[in-house]
Amino acid sequence: MRRLLPLLPLALGAISALGFAPWNWWPLTLAGFAVWLLLIHGGGSIRQVLGMGWLFGLGHFAVANLWIQQPFEFQDAMPPWLGYVAVVLVAAYLALFPMLAAGLAWRLASPAAKGDPAPRVDTAFVLVAGVAWIATEYLRGTMFTGYPWDPLAAAWVSIPVAGLAAYVGSYALSGIVVIAGGCLLVIASDRRAYLPMLILIALVGYSSVPAEHLSRAPDLATHVRIVQPNLAEEAKPTADYAEANFQALARLSGKPDANHPRLILWPEGAIRFPVEDGYPRYVYDLMGSAQTARIRMALLLGDHDAILTGTQGMYFDKRTENMIAATNSIAVIGPDAQLHGRYDKAHLVPYGEYLPMRPVLEAIGLSRLVPGDVDFIPGPGPRTMVIPGFGKVGMLICYEVIFSGHVVDPAHRPDFIFNPSNDAWFGTLGPPAHLAQARLRAIEEGLSIVRATPTGISAIIDPDGVVRQSIPMGRASAIEGSVMRGSPTLFSRLGNWLAGIASAILLICAIAIRRLAR
């Protein structure tokens, strides 16, 4: 039994990840962190503590990123079993951040770091551990283009305390999750520990107070219809996929109503026909006329309707006419069969939409998960597009919605955000986790987020993060609804500076607690 004890942090990390969607067992997250903090606090050396931190992160991120294996089932470049290797490798890298958090908490706040006997875990150590997690999770979300998938705050998105994200952001809320777990540990060891009791009571009390920063009156002028075609061929397109997909989208787009203008929302990659003019002739001979595609879309619209659809932009070498790059885009099509705007995805997925160091990695046989020899290129960043009759719409494609503080053009705040996504690649685990992170962004920014996906989960998310309407995975359907218009939050004004402010306050409190205890 003693030989298995070093693997306890690995198990605790895996247990703590069960708070994320689709499981949502957030009490296990608190329990996992509570026991892990106990182990860290009593660590005998920095080497031991770093090892416990890395093993915890390995288990935590392996479970949180199990969905990464699923794309390997849908391409021929690499065998499906390699997907499980990818999960472990990704988790091994991400585990460096909990390792760093553990080392910081131990070095700064554990008496064992100074060679003193380790008494019971106190509130000061818990607060420092929360700050360490905030700092390292922020680094994870920003270093090397960032990978902030499943911030710890996402474990609380299904309960009201997630509303704190409007005031402190998801990074600071992640630290509060760690602190809540630590407070349970302190209370368990000392029933007279009143401060951690007050912290937990304050969290519960906040959850019982309605959020006042939201305007709950629906904006009836912004009426959307979300279409989810649910074609089984989405992951492995057949020769007739493009036409079959268009027919499914058209059937579910509904009928025009002169008294009820509709903004019709189609998913990421919905259109496999070109919608832009100016490409080489052979493109249209192969894929169909862009004008024809726009006319077919316009025939679905009333005089005051519009379609927002996922599409792709293409770039060609002027001399050879060979395709050299592409964009993952959103196109605006009006009832006049014209293209009224295009947004290009700015935050691309490494190894999914482009291959870093392509010449080197291709030479050793590595390929990106999405087949193809042409990389996507990024757009300039978050953008707000004004669509007559429907207001100002923020654009985020798929993965972009997970980046806290980088989802809105600060100079042109939108009325709501459109987030088309293609989650068909990610099995049953990826879509619920993706939706949960979109809910966090809605809370942070005080904006509704409307998601359209090919196979689910499509949804209208209110500014308080509540999913008002949705289409589950694996169902062909459409939903209509009016989008709520929220009010700017503290986070929308200050962004992730709030994580630094919260960290400073927590550190000051930890120092004060230790001095008062002397």
Side-chain angles (χ1 to χ4, degrees), residues 327-461:
T327 59
N328 190 352
S329 305
I330 298 172
V332 185
I333 307 296
D336 57 357
Q338 296 301 310
L339 179 66
H340 290 275
R342 192 184 90 183
Y343 166 78
D344 297 334
K345 185 177 182 181
H347 214 130
L348 301 176
V349 182
Y351 305 99
E353 291 172 311
Y354 71 97
L355 185 64
M357 301 181 295
R358 176 177 283 276
V360 175
L361 295 183
E362 279 190 335
I364 61 175
L366 293 179
S367 175
R368 64 190 175 96
L369 299 182
V370 179
D373 298 322
V374 175
D375 284 333
F376 287 85
I377 57 175
R383 180 182 173 192
T384 298
M385 299 177 68
V386 178
I387 303 177
F390 299 101
K392 298 175 290 183
V393 184
M395 305 289 178
L396 294 172
I397 298 177
C398 196
Y399 177 73
E400 292 183 300
V401 81
I402 73 173
F403 289 89
S404 173
H406 299 279
V407 298
V408 169
D409 178 355
H412 302 92
R413 178 177 166 88
D415 297 323
F416 68 95
I417 294 173
F418 175 44
N419 178 223
S421 182
N422 183 357
D423 292 348
W425 293 77
F426 305 131
T428 59
L429 300 180
H434 206 173
L435 177 67
Q437 290 164 97
R439 293 174 64 186
L440 274 178
R441 298 294 85 73
I443 296 169
E444 284 180 336
E445 301 292 343
L447 290 170
S448 291
I449 295 181
V450 185
R451 285 175 52 80
T453 70
T455 58
I457 305 167
S458 300
I460 297 175
I461 305 169

Side-chain angles (χ1 to χ4, degrees), residues 198-436:
L198 288 174
I199 292 172
L200 294 180
I201 290 171
L203 291 174
V204 173
Y206 172 83
S207 296
S208 65
V209 178
E212 297 178 354
H213 66 277
L214 302 177
S215 171
R216 292 190 170 272
D219 179 3
L220 299 179
T222 310
H223 189 82
V224 300
R225 182 178 179 90
I226 305 171
V227 176
Q228 180 173 298
N230 193 46
L231 292 192
E233 294 88 356
E234 168 58 30
K236 293 184 177 180
T238 58
D240 63 346
Y241 175 80
E243 180 60 28
N245 190 52
F246 181 86
Q247 292 294 340
L249 291 164
R251 282 195 304 273
L252 292 167
S253 292
K255 301 295 183 182
D257 182 344
N259 299 316
H260 207 85
R262 305 166 304 153
L263 183 60
I264 300 174
L265 306 177
W266 289 357
E268 178 187 14
I271 293 297
R272 303 302 173 96
F273 304 115
V275 296
E276 295 186 69
D277 299 317
Y279 295 153
R281 180 88 180 178
Y282 75 87
V283 174
Y284 303 119
D285 291 339
L286 180 65
M287 302 177 66
S289 163
Q291 183 178 17
T292 300
R294 295 196 303 266
I295 290 173
R296 296 179 70 189
M297 296 169 70
L299 290 173
L300 304 172
L301 302 176
D303 291 341
H304 303 288
D305 295 345
I307 290 178
L308 285 178
T309 179
T311 185
Q312 289 183 1
M314 295 179 281
Y315 293 89
F316 297 85
D317 185 288
K318 292 182 179 180
R319 183 177 59 85
T320 65
E321 293 192 339
N322 291 330
M323 187 175 173
I324 56 174
T327 59
N328 190 352
S329 305
I330 298 172
V332 185
I333 307 296
D336 57 357
Q338 296 301 310
L339 179 66
H340 290 275
R342 192 184 90 183
Y343 166 78
D344 297 334
K345 185 177 182 181
H347 214 130
L348 301 176
V349 182
Y351 305 99
E353 291 172 311
Y354 71 97
L355 185 64
M357 301 181 295
R358 176 177 283 276
V360 175
L361 295 183
E362 279 190 335
I364 61 175
L366 293 179
S367 175
R368 64 190 175 96
L369 299 182
V370 179
D373 298 322
V374 175
D375 284 333
F376 287 85
I377 57 175
R383 180 182 173 192
T384 298
M385 299 177 68
V386 178
I387 303 177
F390 299 101
K392 298 175 290 183
V393 184
M395 305 289 178
L396 294 172
I397 298 177
C398 196
Y399 177 73
E400 292 183 300
V401 81
I402 73 173
F403 289 89
S404 173
H406 299 279
V407 298
V408 169
D409 178 355
H412 302 92
R413 178 177 166 88
D415 297 323
F416 68 95
I417 294 173
F418 175 44
N419 178 223
S421 182
N422 183 357
D423 292 348
W425 293 77
F426 305 131
T428 59
L429 300 180
H434 206 173
L435 177 67

Side-chain angles (χ1 to χ4, degrees), residues 469-480:
Q469 292 179 268
S470 65
I471 307 172
M473 289 184 288
R475 180 182 300 176
S477 188
I479 53 176
E480 285 197 23

Side-chain angles (χ1 to χ4, degrees), residues 36-37 40-41 46 49-50 53 96-111 113 124-125 127-137 139 507 514:
W36 181 58
L37 291 177
I40 296 303
H41 182 267
I46 187 63
V49 168
L50 292 176
L96 296 174
F97 296 98
M99 180 183 80
L100 179 58
L104 286 171
W106 184 81
R107 176 65 72 188
L108 295 176
S110 173
F125 174 80
L127 295 180
V128 172
V131 171
W133 192 273
I134 293 170
T136 55
E137 187 170 275
L139 290 176
L507 284 175
R514 282 286 170 86

